[in-house]
Amino acid sequence: MYSLNAELKSFSQIVKEFVMALGQSRTYNLRKNWYCFFGILWGIPVPIVTISVDLYASQLNPTTSNIIQIIITHPFHIFFILHPLLFGIVFGAMGTVRHNKEQRIRELNRLKSNFLSMVSHELRTPLTTILGYITYLKTEKAGSLNQAQKDCLIISEEEAELLNHLIEELLDLSKIETGQFKVNLEGVNLSGVISKAISSLKLLAQKQEVTLENDIPENLPLVLADKERILQVVVNLIENGIKFNRRGGKVSIYASNHSQDNKLLFSVSDTGIGIPEDKLEKIFDTFYQVDSSRKRRYGGCGLGLAISKTILKLHHGAIWAESKIGAGSKFTFELIKYDNQTPT
Ligand code: ADP
């Protein structure tokens, strides 16, 4: 019953949108609305076929006077002659409905981006103050702290950092959506970037009892990259490798350099829970998480990989995942070698 109601509602909505489109000038504008033009083309064969059939049945030659005579004797032909016009109007209205819908979606996206950027900025300012005070209190310049107070501060700092990370990701997303997300490409040796990522995650790995293994050689060829943005990708991949791992597990980072190729591949593999085969593409969508239940054990909001994918796209590179449930996952991204750089 409910579904029938819903169907009727959506049908009446379609009819309403169609009728409203009939009242809009765009529906009849051949230049702005190609649907209308297409409708006219679609309708042209109708009178041609009907009149031809009638001429053939009456054994008349297709001359102008015979055609006029047929139309006068069978006035229903006027209805067929009007078909290109009717089709033009119906198709034109469909084009207007589509245009209106696209405009609504664009407007919603704009509102969403504005909202995202406004909320993130408003959250960021007080959070920076909170983090500043936590750091200040930890120096004990405002008075010495006992162990319980220090522990409270450490937890507060960790949680505030998590929130900060989330806000950074939301800000990146709003930049991506408004086309303001940019990269600054130059020749970079990624071994330094990867070492930096590893040292920033050492503590987290220790806490989760996960070993980090860096197999990146020092003398890598340079790649065309934005250091900060690629650092963001590598941190995200290693962090996920730690987060979705088991105690005693391992995360390894290595590079493959095929000298005949103009690309360098970097892989982050882990011995964690793995990802189902049919989710390997979806995990790169915004806000997608394999386990999104409320009982979910892992932090995050499903933006890291989507942002990483955009970053790699802006590098003319790519990122992909391979995985086996229960055995672990491997994320690989490719970057162009600096000597063979392509125009950016
Ligand atoms: P987040 O980690 O913040 O949820 P990401 O975009 O980084 O967001 O990852 C999206 C989802 O992909 C994760 O929620 C998780 O379900 C899955 N995922 C990512 N990396 C791994 C990994 N190394 N092992 C298992 N699952 C992973």
Side-chain angles (χ1 to χ4, degrees), residues 241 244-246 248-252 268-276 322-331:
F244 299 102
N245 220 316
R246 53 180 167 80
K250 198 165 81 173
V251 175
S252 320
V268 177
S269 76
D270 64 65
T271 53
I273 57 172
I275 304 161
E322 295 153 75
S323 188
K324 204 164 176 207
I325 289 289
S329 313
K330 180 170 122 184
F331 285 81

Side-chain angles (χ1 to χ4, degrees), residues 94-141:
M94 275 162 27
T96 305
V97 168
R98 185 183 172 163
H99 171 80
N100 293 344
K101 203 163 254 167
E102 282 172 356
Q103 224 174 19
R104 276 202 300 273
I105 291 172
R106 265 199 298 275
E107 180 58 14
L108 275 176
N109 277 338
R110 196 187 59 77
L111 285 175
K112 189 181 81 182
S113 295
N114 284 353
F115 178 74
L116 259 180
S117 135
M118 194 263 290
V119 168
S120 331
H121 277 114
E122 291 309 309
L123 288 175
R124 202 183 205 186
T125 318
L127 193 60
T128 310
T129 314
I130 293 170
L131 273 165
Y133 276 122
I134 292 175
T135 313
Y136 176 65
L137 287 175
K138 274 172 67 189
T139 62
E140 303 195 37
K141 282 184 187 152

Side-chain angles (χ1 to χ4, degrees), residues 240 243-244 270 275 283 288-290 296 300-302 304-305 329:
N240 280 346
K243 220 163 60 171
F244 299 102
D270 64 65
I275 304 161
I283 53 172
Y288 187 84
Q289 297 180 309
V290 174
R296 193 172 181 273
C301 65
L305 288 177
S329 313

Side-chain angles (χ1 to χ4, degrees), residues 44-218:
I44 285 174
V46 177
I48 296 176
V49 170
T50 49
I51 291 174
S52 305
V53 167
D54 211 348
L55 283 172
Y56 179 75
S58 321
Q59 294 182 336
L60 292 171
N61 287 328
T63 59
T64 315
S65 58
N66 283 343
I67 292 174
I68 294 171
Q69 188 199 327
I70 271 187
I71 294 171
I72 292 168
T73 38
H74 299 125
F76 63 82
H77 277 299
I78 294 170
F79 173 66
F80 291 120
I81 288 169
L82 287 175
H83 260 60
L85 214 63
L86 288 174
F87 275 43
I89 294 171
V90 171
F91 277 58
M94 275 162 27
T96 305
V97 168
R98 185 183 172 163
H99 171 80
N100 293 344
K101 203 163 254 167
E102 282 172 356
Q103 224 174 19
R104 276 202 300 273
I105 291 172
R106 265 199 298 275
E107 180 58 14
L108 275 176
N109 277 338
R110 196 187 59 77
L111 285 175
K112 189 181 81 182
S113 295
N114 284 353
F115 178 74
L116 259 180
S117 135
M118 194 263 290
V119 168
S120 331
H121 277 114
E122 291 309 309
L123 288 175
R124 202 183 205 186
T125 318
L127 193 60
T128 310
T129 314
I130 293 170
L131 273 165
Y133 276 122
I134 292 175
T135 313
Y136 176 65
L137 287 175
K138 274 172 67 189
T139 62
E140 303 195 37
K141 282 184 187 152
S144 54
L145 302 167
N146 62 33
Q147 196 50 48
Q149 289 167 331
K150 283 182 188 163
D151 292 345
C152 290
L153 277 184
I154 289 170
I155 294 170
S156 308
E157 190 175 29
E158 280 175 5
E159 297 292 324
E161 291 288 2
L162 265 180
L163 202 53
N164 201 25
H165 181 64
L166 175 71
I167 293 168
E168 299 274 337
E169 289 194 328
L170 286 176
L171 272 172
D172 280 348
L173 179 65
S174 89
K175 279 191 204 145
I176 290 171
E177 296 201 338
T178 51
Q180 289 168 317
F181 194 84
K182 300 265 157 47
V183 288
N184 191 6
L185 301 181
E186 55 182 336
V188 177
N189 180 347
L190 269 210
S191 70
V193 172
I194 289 169
S195 306
K196 197 169 165 190
I198 290 178
S199 20
S200 73
L201 290 164
K202 246 184 196 144
L203 271 180
L204 179 70
Q206 265 170 22
K207 232 164 105 184
Q208 306 281 328
E209 294 169 32
V210 170
T211 315
L212 296 183
E213 205 175 79
N214 183 359
D215 287 328
I216 302 279
E218 294 262 311

